[in-house]
Amino acid sequence: QVQLVESGGGLVQAGGSLRLSCAASASIFSINHMGWYRQAPGKQREVVATISISGTTAYADSVKGRFTISRDIGKNTVYLQMNSLKPEDTAAYYCNAAKYGPHGKEDYWGQGTQVTVSS
């Protein structure tokens, strides 16, 4: 089991910045992938950014160049730095941890944090 606690959401004007944090209850090195997903009202949840156990990162095309995913291994925490925010970035943001074990893939989710970007 992995518990994830997110923080850092809020209301910001277009062009502003926010940093989301996701603290994991387990060592990051026990988790194959960690990532941020978001879900806007009436839309499906979509991946925003991921970071693998080796530190390899990947981003959705819509956030490339604006968002940065990073981690602090000592704090078992993953961050999402969001710059140049747009109204279309408004969504509930969820932290995800994915582990691959003998029984297959296990997904863990945080409770979500709301990001609202005003125009």
Side-chain angles (χ1 to χ4, degrees), residues 1-5 22-28 30-31 34 75-76:
Q1 287 285 341
V2 179
Q3 282 78 47
L4 303 171
V5 179
C22 173
S25 62
S27 168
I28 287 178
S30 71
I31 301 170
M34 292 192 71
K75 295 182 179 180
N76 292 325

Side-chain angles (χ1 to χ4, degrees), residues 19-95:
R19 189 178 80 155
L20 306 182
S21 300
C22 173
S25 62
S27 168
I28 287 178
F29 285 127
S30 71
I31 301 170
N32 295 89
H33 287 86
M34 292 192 71
W36 289 95
Y37 290 68
R38 67 186 181 187
Q39 187 168 18
K43 294 188 177 181
Q44 289 190 332
R45 189 172 294 189
E46 61 177 4
V47 61
V48 176
T50 61
I51 185 166
S52 74
I53 194 170
S54 64
T56 301
T57 59
Y59 298 91
D61 287 343
S62 59
V63 306
K64 281 181 181 177
R66 300 188 298 123
F67 290 11
T68 302
I69 189 170
S70 63
R71 63 185 182 181
D72 184 326
I73 294 171
K75 295 182 179 180
N76 292 325
T77 299
V78 172
Y79 304 97
L80 184 68
Q81 178 66 45
M82 304 184 294
N83 299 327
S84 301
L85 282 160
K86 304 175 181 179
E88 51 263 44
D89 294 318
T90 295
Y93 283 70
Y94 296 90
C95 181

